[in-house]
Amino acid sequence: MSNLANPTGLSGATTPPPPPPQNPNLVSLTINGKRLTVPKGTLLVEAAKMAGSEIPVFCYHPKLKPVGACRMCLVEIEKNPRLQTACTTPVSEGMVANSVSPNAISGQNAVIEMLLANHPLDCPICDKGGECPLQDNTFKYGQGVSRMQEDKRAKDKAFALSDRIVLDKERCIMCYRCTRFQSEIVGDQALVALDRGGESEIGTQNGESFESPFSGNTIELCPVGALTSRFYRFRSRPWDLKRTPSVCSGCSMGCNTSLHARDGAILRMVARENPGIDDGWLCDKGRFQTLPPVTALGQVTAAEAKQNRPLQPLLRKHGSLQPTTLELALQRTVELLRGYTAVLASPTLTNEAMLALETGLRPMAQQSQFGFLPYVHTPWLLQGKIANLPFAKKIVLLGFDPWTELPVLALWLRKAAQNGGNLVAVGQHNGLFRDSAAWLSVPQDRVGDTTAELLAALTTGKASAPVREAAMKLTCDGPAVLLLHPDLAADASLLFLAQQLAQQLGANGDTGMLGAPALAANARGAQELAPTIASATVSSHGLTGILLLGIDHLVPQSGAKLAVATSRAIEPRSDVEVVLPMLHPYETAGTYTNFTGQRQALLAGGFVGRNVPSDQQLISHLRTALTHRHAGAR
Amino acid sequence: MNPVSNQPTGATTSMHALSLSTATRTAIQQEVLRYPHFRTALLPSLKLAQREIGYLPPSILNEVADLVGVSHAAAYELTTFYSMLHTKPHGRLAVEVCVQLPCGFCGGERLLKQLEAGLGIKPGETTQDGMLSLHRTPECMGGCHRSPMVRIGDHYVENLTAKADVDALCAELQAGRIPTTKGTLNHDCHPATANANASKKPIEYTPILLPRQPRSTQVSLAEYQASRGYEGLKQALQKQPAEVIEIVKQSNLRGRGGAAFSAGMKWSFVPKAAGPKYLVVNADESEPGTFKDRELMEVESHMLLEGMAIASYAIGCKEAFLYLRGEYVEAGDRMRAAIGEAEQQGLLGKNILGSGFELKIHVFLGAGAYICGEETALLESLEGNRPMPRSRPPFPAISGLYSKPTVVNNVETICNVPHILLHGADWFKKIGPNEKSAGPKIYCLSGWVNRPGNYELPLGAVTFRELIEHWGMGMRDGAKIKGVLPAGISAPIVPADQLDAKLDYEGVAGAGSMLGSASLIVIPEDVSIVRAATRMLEFFRHESCGKCTPCREGTQWLHKILLRFEQGRGEPKDLDLLLSLSNQISGKVLCALGDFATSPVTATIKHFRPEYLAAILNGQGARDAQGTTDWSQRG
């Protein structure tokens, strides 16, 4: 065990040169005096990481194509008279690279000085301060002085690109990460570079808003404080944030996130890369629209004051909702559930709550109807892993537009299309139209007919020309993916056709993906753990009382009295009898099951007070109260 | 802004209702189908739309984007890059005056002042009726041998030396007419001052590339064929493509665009495997002081086409592109006409000369961006992207246009090819004193000489001084030479005491500079070098694409410091800062433009440091020898 401290056995200068590599797919090189062997085609900047050396970057990002724009990663390579950018240089056998030589350091100093020449250096008021690559690289690789005596470029400092993103044009260093993300990863070119030379800036078509389902990722990609979130702007400093790993509740994709909270209030949610689920991206719906209302910090704006969510139980007394105790609120809820009543639960509850609902609450309230809102049951449970998707060669989407329903799934399908997969979409909407081999654009109620025609084209060859052309794209070999919209799957004949088509394409869960995906955040968990409730349909006619569990919006007024368990602000409607505060999924520990059946843990990222129960706790409180009612009745 | 008076002529509808005519929409739809990739049609489509509307407001940009099939933002990003595309109303007759070197000190600034007075508007302004606008442009337009000059829409008006001509121009413009091109005869640039006493030329030589000088009219197909035109192509088609490449390799033909890389070698890098390959001819002649490709295309159009056909045959290309700078509308029109003639005679198109070889040539015009002369930026421009240089490897020969193998050659390089095929590699090698870099070379001579123009001579046959004395007919007014910029403004200035260097790659390198594309700008002794350097940096700042940090930030910074010197607000230590910043740019940038941008600074400080110090002495600023503080009294 004596060589534990140096497990490679290499000891620097005395080591003889290693023999040429046996494997032609490997390349040996030296970086900053350290010899190492890496896969052929590795970029020097990545090889340096493996060698334990950091080469500073701005424009380089492992998920984007290298452009060599910022020049921060200049290194000296033996036998090369010019400094080279490590981000665009693939390793080669025998390469000797140096990022700490006087020449390389002078290159790094030069780039930092040039970048800062027109940068406002307003770090004290910048959101990015404290987590800013420009700041970090300046400290590590800059000279700490400026020779610029000319006036800096003055530009717009708070340009609203959209209602989500604000651009500080002075801070931007033109690394093109954001514009490359929109054109390479998303493919919509919604954000572009404008003008040229020193006047270059990023922007959109004059006067148009930066609209893309994935725009928020550009905030995270930005290596300076140029792209900022409207919600997070000026709300905190990075070092004051508590970071908690969690899972997005926006849809059933199950994208991994990190919740950033200050004093218990969740101020932002960022991506936490899971290469098997989200590839490091989040959609805007998840990023911006799923956070619980900010309360712990107090009211910052009038709009937020309105959003104020209840943190203690409320009971209708003398015509208005007034604070009460949990016991009284539970008692009133139990009374409300007497007679012809319903319990409607959100499919965004945790698995633990689902189980409590099915096995704990439902048996105690048998006269009430139980159901999910929205309805979550899918008759064709999805098979297959997300990791299969980039290799799919045949992809059929039936009435299902992942671009809007499961946005991050769309990015995976885009990857497949770019790898040579043929995507055929049938239906009214197709956000992946740029990447589609064919789009049979028909109204949703005609998806069945077109599916039948597509199947016929593949089997008998009898079909209209456009359908035959689309079918031609699906005759290649390789893994297949077929996804049917769960709402359409309720139509048994369409379901049958879809399953036949999947069989015809050879789709299976081992190499591809097939089924009607559950769409709501924990809809699959609901179906698996609360099957009776998930498959039940609730008749709303003539109900006298309804308990809403975790549902964001009130059901339409119907004469029924409402008990509302929520983590959001509620409309003070006259039919609301009881309000039970509940923790948001981001404030509780639990698990979610994503649309492929993968279970993932949520941890409490925010804190709103000890007295607010989680969804699971609330359900068990209700169960206890119901038990008492039964006991009392007996 | 008065939106009504700024409306283009004929447009009576309000701004938000602007839309394209059916004719333009149809033309755009045809563009979309014309090229191998639809996105290539974006730039031509934007130009078609601007031609109709006068500029590109958001509604029009969106309409074009939708027709081509790109995002609205993508159309806008392209529009804002190119200086010839406008998002704001622009005078219907936009008068652009070149003030770059050499025009700037050869009467360009004087002309600008005269036009200001004559038209009653300042640079950047538009007349009340929206008809006329006046622009001072730091961008050279390829009329240096006929300076001073202006561009009005698609037209050049050149040789505006006489006050009477300027007055006539103003009168025409105010009447709403575009004057026709003046003074197009190459050897007739400054006839009044031609030096009749020029001694006998040191060598006798019969031009090959420009055999019909002086001439400005296009050579017809019949005329070209009468002088053995297209016989080189016939020769080539009887050989295997590999043989053709070998002959060109053997001839030692080096690229004439500036980099001087062996043309045959470049062709041989193209993979032999089947699949699309492209020839792209670089006619984005935008280096200040360069105007040779313009004359070749306008006059010897068929020589270029024949060369393109041979090169395409050699590399296995069926679809070639000729990329002209946007200002070369006349050259583009003539090239299109020549292609029509050649296709009719079966010299281009399908089954050329019965050989089974086919070639389609696209004439593609840019829209005002010097960076498009950089070959990878040019390819990006062709693909409908912002023309920003790509990082290499991969080289275009492996992954070029549409990521397919591509050869990019300069116009002049390609014009040599028919002659090599016709007369053989050995014949070519014998032209000029140096077999290793042989052949004819067109020297663009401009600046303060009596007879600027394109002079074709064997590469390396003469010295700077001989070219200026015997072909340029000496200096105007007998002025002394301060120095010569040998490769436009991109290479270090060669001071007066080094002008006996031979004009070939080695000779000019020996004088501390580069031959490049051989565009010699002669600067007279009395011109302030500080002002000249400032003007050159204004160009690089204006033309930097902005992709890489050192060039984007560095060119502006250098220019700002030089402006201080020009205005007399500098300190001696700023010279060290200029040199240090140049060092921080040079060798650290993505493409050669950034390196080029530093030589006007470093070389002028090296040779003329006292002038810089004089400019900041007592804050007097840059002064020409006569004590003038600008060039508006010159030329």
Side-chain angles (χ1 to χ4, degrees):
Chain A
M1 300 304 281
S2 61
N3 60 357
L4 238 186
N6 189 0
T8 60
L10 292 177
S11 60
T14 57
T15 317
Q22 306 291 310
N23 188 335
N25 294 323
L26 294 177
V27 167
S28 292
L29 74 161
T30 309
I31 301 176
N32 295 345
K34 179 158 184 180
R35 198 172 285 125
L36 74 160
T37 302
V38 300
K40 198 175 170 180
T42 306
L43 292 169
L44 190 50
V45 67
E46 290 293 332
K49 286 182 197 164
M50 301 176 205
S53 294
E54 182 201 54
I55 294 180
V57 296
F58 291 113
C59 69
Y60 174 73
H61 189 279
K63 296 203 185 292
L64 302 172
K65 288 183 197 142
V67 286
C70 76
R71 318 303 285 174
M72 190 62 228
C73 63
L74 288 172
V75 294
E76 198 168 359
I77 297 176
E78 251 182 41
K79 300 192 189 112
N80 211 322
R82 280 171 82 104
L83 294 175
Q84 300 294 311
T85 44
C87 75
T88 59
T89 308
V91 293
S92 61
E93 186 58 40
M95 178 185 266
V96 180
N98 198 328
S99 69
V100 292
S101 70
N103 202 2
I105 288 173
S106 85
Q108 292 157 0
N109 287 339
V111 173
I112 289 283
E113 185 176 27
M114 294 290 184
L115 283 174
L116 295 184
N118 279 298
H119 187 82
L121 291 170
D122 54 349
C123 311
I125 54 151
C126 178
D127 278 351
K128 200 80 176 180
E131 55 179 13
C132 175
L134 181 59
Q135 223 174 23
D136 296 347
N137 285 343
T138 299
F139 273 94
K140 285 194 243 175
Y141 305 99
Q143 283 181 301
V145 290
S146 172
R147 297 177 289 174
M148 175 96 166
Q149 57 162 277
E150 268 66 36
D151 289 342
K152 294 197 181 210
R153 262 191 316 257
K155 287 195 171 191
D156 220 332
K157 285 196 70 66
F159 182 81
L161 280 175
S162 70
D163 56 9
R164 303 177 293 285
I165 299 177
V166 178
L167 169 66
D168 186 320
K169 295 183 180 178
E170 289 184 345
R171 291 179 189 154
C172 176
I173 58 166
M174 294 310 289
C175 70
Y176 306 99
R177 278 191 188 187
C178 53
T179 58
R180 281 147 68 210
F181 170 77
Q182 292 299 145
S183 70
E184 291 174 23
I185 307 290
V186 183
D188 61 8
Q189 272 212 311
L191 193 67
V192 294
L194 302 176
D195 282 306
R196 74 182 187 204
E199 303 308 312
S200 308
E201 58 186 49
I202 59 160
T204 59
Q205 154 76 288
N206 208 5
E208 286 190 7
S209 171
F210 171 26
E211 290 305 323
S212 169
F214 306 97
S215 69
N217 293 294
T218 60
I219 300 169
E220 281 190 62
L221 287 167
C222 183
V224 297
L227 291 169
T228 53
S229 155
R230 265 196 142 161
F231 308 96
Y232 175 71
R233 218 167 135 78
F234 304 135
R235 299 295 275 284
S236 180
R237 312 307 313 232
W239 53 84
D240 287 331
L241 294 171
K242 179 174 167 276
R243 291 152 202 251
T244 311
S246 187
V247 174
C248 180
S249 67
C251 71
S252 64
M253 198 65 202
C255 296
N256 292 192
T257 64
S258 180
L259 296 166
H260 292 184
R262 180 179 172 189
D263 300 336
I266 300 170
L267 297 180
R268 69 177 177 187
M269 183 167 87
V270 300
R272 178 170 59 89
E273 184 176 356
N274 182 332
I277 290 186
D278 49 49
D279 205 19
W281 311 123
L282 290 181
C283 71
D284 284 7
K285 194 174 116 196
R287 181 188 300 271
F288 297 121
Q289 291 173 21
T290 63
L291 296 187
V294 173
T295 46
L297 267 186
Q299 287 75 49
V300 183
T301 63
E304 280 168 6
K306 253 191 229 164
Q307 280 180 5
N308 206 2
R309 70 193 255 204
L311 290 179
Q312 56 177 320
L314 305 174
L315 200 59
R316 185 162 298 277
K317 219 185 252 175
H318 312 305
S320 71
L321 288 169
Q322 292 179 11
T324 183
T325 63
L326 183 61
E327 285 70 23
L328 288 173
L330 287 167
Q331 202 181 325
R332 181 78 189 96
T333 307
V334 165
E335 284 164 17
L336 210 85
L337 284 179
R338 278 204 186 109
Y340 188 56
T341 59
V343 177
L344 294 175
S346 163
T348 61
L349 301 181
T350 60
N351 279 329
E352 293 66 25
M354 299 291 182
L355 195 64
L357 203 57
E358 173 89 4
T359 61
L361 194 61
R362 199 183 63 89
M364 298 307 293
Q366 277 176 354
Q367 66 274 52
S368 296
Q369 305 179 67
F370 275 72
F372 283 107
L373 192 70
Y375 182 74
V376 295
H377 181 78
T378 159
W380 191 17
L381 213 54
L382 189 114
Q383 301 167 51
K385 289 193 306 245
I386 292 170
N388 294 343
L389 294 175
F391 310 103
K393 292 293 169 236
K394 297 173 277 190
I395 300 158
V396 177
L397 302 176
L398 300 177
F400 173 57
D401 184 18
W403 193 261
T404 49
E405 306 266 22
L406 300 176
V408 170
L409 180 69
L411 297 184
W412 284 106
L413 295 177
R414 214 177 158 257
K415 246 186 184 179
Q418 296 203 314
N419 285 345
N422 290 314
L423 193 155
V424 173
V426 180
Q428 201 163 1
H429 305 288
N430 178 19
L432 285 163
F433 64 94
R434 297 178 199 87
D435 303 287
S436 301
W439 175 16
L440 301 170
S441 176
V442 295
Q444 291 298 87
D445 59 7
R446 303 271 304 157
V447 170
D449 299 341
T450 311
T451 304
E453 206 180 342
L454 197 56
L455 188 59
L458 284 168
T459 48
T460 64
K462 275 190 203 150
S464 64
V467 176
R468 263 206 323 273
E469 248 171 67
M472 283 292 287
K473 309 280 184 192
L474 300 172
T475 52
C476 57
D477 288 331
V481 169
L482 186 138
L483 299 173
L484 170 67
H485 196 288
D487 291 353
L488 298 181
D491 174 347
S493 62
L494 174 50
L495 177 62
F496 178 71
L497 282 169
Q499 286 171 336
Q500 275 206 309
L501 183 56
Q503 197 178 2
Q504 178 69 29
L505 295 171
N508 62 66
D510 294 337
T511 62
M513 187 180 274
L514 67 164
L519 299 179
N522 200 23
R524 175 121 183 191
Q527 188 165 351
E528 287 177 351
L529 295 164
T532 5
I533 302 175
S535 56
T537 43
V538 175
S539 158
S540 62
H541 188 71
L543 291 174
T544 57
I546 305 174
L547 167 62
L548 298 176
L549 271 173
I551 291 168
D552 284 351
H553 302 285
L554 298 183
V555 291
Q557 229 156 349
S558 66
K561 293 203 182 304
L562 303 182
V564 184
T566 184
S567 55
R568 300 214 169 253
I570 62 146
E571 203 187 324
R573 229 164 57 181
S574 60
D575 54 346
V576 177
E577 279 293 302
V578 197
V579 176
L580 294 158
M582 195 173 88
L583 292 179
H584 186 276
Y586 294 166
E587 294 155 350
T588 173
T591 61
Y592 265 2
T593 306
N594 83 345
F595 77 106
T596 65
Q598 188 166 346
R599 235 165 259 177
Q600 304 186 93
L602 302 156
L603 290 177
F607 179 73
V608 290
R610 279 175 209 293
N611 298 326
V612 181
S614 71
D615 51 4
Q616 182 202 356
Q617 284 167 334
L618 187 73
I619 289 169
S620 84
H621 286 324
L622 284 164
R623 180 182 182 274
T624 312
L626 276 167
T627 317
H628 288 155
R629 187 185 78 183
H630 290 312
R634 218 183 296 133
Chain B
M1 188 184 99
N2 181 341
V4 179
S5 73
N6 278 331
Q7 283 299 305
T9 48
T12 49
T13 47
S14 65
M15 205 123 118
H16 64 268
L18 275 180
S19 65
L20 295 172
S21 67
T22 316
T24 303
R25 289 179 64 92
T26 310
I28 289 175
Q29 280 157 350
Q30 282 166 353
E31 284 297 310
V32 173
L33 299 173
R34 189 185 307 278
Y35 306 103
H37 195 282
F38 71 92
R39 214 184 150 106
T40 298
L42 183 53
L43 180 55
S45 301
L46 289 167
K47 292 175 82 172
L48 282 169
Q50 180 168 293
R51 182 168 294 254
E52 183 191 338
I53 308 292
Y55 70 108
L56 296 167
S59 63
I60 295 296
L61 279 170
N62 293 355
E63 197 174 345
V64 174
D66 292 342
L67 280 169
V68 177
V70 299
S71 79
H72 294 175
Y76 192 54
E77 88 167 341
L78 221 57
T79 304
T80 56
F81 191 97
Y82 291 107
S83 54
M84 288 170 68
L85 298 179
H86 313 293
T87 54
K88 299 262 155 59
H90 204 69
R92 203 67 177 174
L93 295 175
V95 185
E96 294 180 27
V97 187
C98 172
V99 294
Q100 188 44 258
L101 269 47
C103 278
F105 64 77
C106 290
E109 289 201 9
R110 187 253 311 143
L111 175 60
L112 185 64
K113 282 263 191 299
Q114 288 173 331
L115 288 171
E116 271 181 49
L119 301 176
I121 42 175
K122 295 228 171 307
E125 289 180 353
T126 306
T127 52
Q128 276 289 303
D129 58 4
M131 271 305 286
L132 287 170
S133 60
L134 183 63
H135 307 270
R136 169 194 180 279
T137 164
E139 184 189 339
C140 168
M141 293 180 278
C144 327
H145 51 327
R146 299 169 192 158
S147 63
M149 56 84 64
V150 297
R151 187 176 78 94
I152 302 161
D154 294 346
H155 300 264
Y156 280 26
V157 185
E158 301 173 300
N159 281 334
L160 286 163
T161 39
K163 172 94 172 50
D165 287 342
V166 181
D167 291 342
L169 171 66
C170 290
E172 291 271 296
L173 286 170
Q174 275 161 340
R177 284 192 297 270
I178 302 172
T180 47
T181 307
K182 288 174 64 78
T184 46
L185 274 187
N186 182 49
H187 280 193
D188 196 22
C189 297
H190 293 284
T193 53
N195 183 356
N197 298 326
S199 55
K200 196 174 167 333
K201 290 173 183 169
I203 65 153
E204 284 305 322
Y205 169 75
T206 313
I208 297 161
L209 305 174
L210 294 169
R212 297 165 186 86
Q213 272 187 332
R215 165 165 182 161
S216 60
T217 53
Q218 188 176 18
V219 175
S220 70
L221 176 56
E223 196 179 351
Y224 183 62
Q225 282 177 313
S227 57
R228 303 190 71 188
Y230 287 99
E231 280 186 29
L233 176 60
K234 279 179 203 153
Q235 296 280 330
L237 293 176
Q238 284 159 18
K239 297 177 165 58
Q240 289 300 311
E243 282 177 74
V244 177
I245 294 179
E246 191 54 33
I247 292 170
V248 175
K249 216 192 249 181
Q250 288 301 320
S251 74
N252 292 341
L253 168 63
R254 293 170 71 174
R256 302 302 197 224
F261 190 79
S262 158
M265 195 83 90
K266 201 184 239 183
W267 297 3
S268 70
F269 292 153
V270 174
K272 303 286 175 281
K277 288 154 198 160
Y278 297 104
L279 170 73
V280 176
V281 172
N282 186 344
D284 187 77
E285 183 172 63
S286 306
E287 181 67 42
T290 316
F291 39 86
K292 62 186 177 63
D293 298 342
R294 177 182 164 197
E295 186 169 342
L296 282 169
M297 291 187 289
E298 287 182 353
V299 181
E300 303 291 346
S301 326
H302 283 287
M303 194 185 292
L304 176 59
L305 292 181
E306 186 184 0
M308 286 179 75
I310 298 170
S312 299
Y313 174 73
I315 63 166
C317 153
K318 292 179 185 164
E319 209 165 352
F321 287 82
L322 175 64
Y323 186 104
L324 293 91
R325 62 177 301 179
E327 292 86 349
Y328 281 1
V329 175
E330 175 69 24
D333 288 347
R334 292 190 186 187
M335 287 307 301
R336 282 197 190 99
I339 290 170
E341 274 186 303
E343 282 181 347
Q344 217 157 34
Q345 297 285 316
L347 297 162
L348 286 176
K350 301 244 181 261
N351 194 18
I352 295 171
L353 293 167
S355 65
F357 166 60
E358 63 174 281
L359 179 64
K360 167 103 199 121
I361 295 180
H362 296 286
V363 172
F364 191 100
L365 270 78
Y370 170 72
I371 194 66
C372 290
E374 202 282 341
E375 60 178 9
T376 56
L378 188 157
L379 296 177
E380 289 287 333
S381 177
L382 272 181
E383 290 183 12
N385 300 323
R386 280 162 73 84
M388 291 183 160
R390 298 174 184 169
S391 137
R392 277 163 285 201
F395 287 89
I398 306 303
S399 176
L401 186 60
Y402 314 123
S403 302
K404 297 288 185 288
T406 304
V407 164
V408 186
N409 277 142
N410 174 256
V411 169
E412 189 187 350
T413 315
I414 291 290
C415 284
N416 277 289
V417 172
H419 305 286
I420 295 173
L421 265 288
L422 188 58
H423 302 291
D426 287 336
W427 166 85
F428 190 82
K429 271 197 284 198
K430 297 274 168 2
I431 301 173
N434 185 352
E435 279 212 355
K436 292 248 159 14
S437 42
K441 179 77 197 83
I442 300 173
Y443 295 96
C444 304
L445 183 61
S446 68
W448 206 251
V449 293
N450 278 318
R451 200 183 66 172
N454 282 317
Y455 297 108
E456 182 192 334
L457 288 162
L459 186 50
V462 299
T463 65
F464 281 90
R465 206 178 298 285
E466 287 166 342
L467 185 73
I468 293 166
E469 287 302 316
H470 300 289
W471 282 268
M473 298 291 183
M475 294 293 283
R476 282 168 74 173
D477 321 323
K480 280 176 140 181
I481 301 174
K482 172 166 271 177
V484 178
L485 293 160
I489 65 171
S490 287
I493 188 167
V494 174
D497 59 1
Q498 310 231 3
L499 296 181
D500 292 315
K502 285 277 187 207
L503 283 170
D504 58 10
Y505 302 112
E506 298 76 10
V508 181
S513 189
M514 289 187 312
L515 181 63
S517 55
S519 313
L520 295 92
I521 302 174
V522 181
I523 302 175
E525 176 62 37
D526 60 334
V527 158
S528 161
I529 205 71
V530 176
R531 185 167 2 270
T534 311
R535 191 62 49 87
M536 291 190 265
L537 255 296
E538 184 184 357
F539 176 84
F540 286 113
R541 176 187 184 174
H542 186 259
E543 297 301 330
S544 167
C545 77
K547 180 170 181 176
C548 77
T549 309
C551 177
R552 179 184 66 241
E553 304 295 338
T555 51
Q556 330 182 39
W557 195 350
L558 288 176
H559 182 236
K560 284 178 180 173
I561 299 172
L562 285 173
L563 275 175
R564 280 201 278 119
F565 272 91
E566 192 181 0
Q567 294 155 5
R569 293 181 295 110
E571 292 174 60
K573 72 174 167 58
D574 288 333
L575 285 179
D576 296 334
L577 180 57
L578 283 170
L579 292 174
S580 164
L581 289 177
S582 298
N583 183 45
Q584 295 198 355
I585 299 167
S586 182
K588 294 166 183 80
V589 281
L590 178 66
C591 81
L593 182 142
D595 296 325
F596 294 160
T598 62
S599 67
V601 178
T602 53
T604 56
I605 294 177
K606 180 178 168 195
H607 298 297
F608 305 100
R609 185 180 277 259
E611 267 198 57
Y612 278 90
L613 293 172
I616 52 173
L617 190 68
N618 306 325
Q620 66 170 7
R623 279 171 194 269
D624 304 302
Q626 298 86 347
T628 48
T629 52
D630 63 28
W631 289 333
S632 63
Q633 307 297 314
R634 295 187 59 91

